[in-house]
Amino acid sequence: MTKWLLVAGVLMPLYSAQATQDPEAVYNRVCGACHSGQLPMAPRKGDQAAWTPRLAKGMETLVQHVTQGFKAMPPRGLCMDCSAEDYQAIIHWMSE
């Protein structure tokens, strides 16, 4: 019985982990407020000229900028329920 409880305790967090959110839905809910043209320094979705130099810094750096805040980007991009995986998916979606 103790072994089963131990196994359940180890595996349960794996099954309850939050799934990555839909990037378009998060963009529409949070990111689009700044990244759809309202702030000139926020790169717009699909703007290759704006995204290329940012992507050259690496995904880890971009996620860190979103998480901690960077220049005009508020910490967590104001998405308090987003994970690092969510940020990666959103950055990838926005930069296409």
Side-chain angles (χ1 to χ4, degrees), residues 36-69:
S36 60
Q38 283 75 6
L39 292 179
M41 56 272 205
R44 296 179 77 161
K45 178 182 174 8
D47 183 348
Q48 296 299 313
W51 279 105
T52 299
R54 288 170 170 86
L55 292 170
K57 295 177 182 179
M59 186 60 73
E60 185 176 321
T61 299
L62 293 176
V63 170
Q64 181 181 11
H65 286 172
V66 176
T67 305
Q68 296 176 0

Side-chain angles (χ1 to χ4, degrees), residues 6-20:
L6 180 60
V7 169
V10 170
L11 294 178
M12 280 182 73
L14 298 175
Y15 289 106
S16 64
Q18 181 181 8
T20 302

Side-chain angles (χ1 to χ4, degrees), residues 20-24 26 31 51 55 58-67 73 76 79 81-96:
T20 302
Q21 300 180 56
D22 176 51
E24 186 173 6
V26 175
C31 309
W51 279 105
L55 292 170
M59 186 60 73
E60 185 176 321
T61 299
L62 293 176
V63 170
Q64 181 181 11
H65 286 172
V66 176
T67 305
M73 170 73 82
R76 303 198 58 77
C79 183
D81 64 340
C82 287
S83 66
E85 292 79 17
D86 291 326
Y87 293 131
Q88 289 178 17
I90 295 161
I91 291 168
H92 180 71
W93 184 81
M94 287 176 56
S95 64
E96 291 181 331

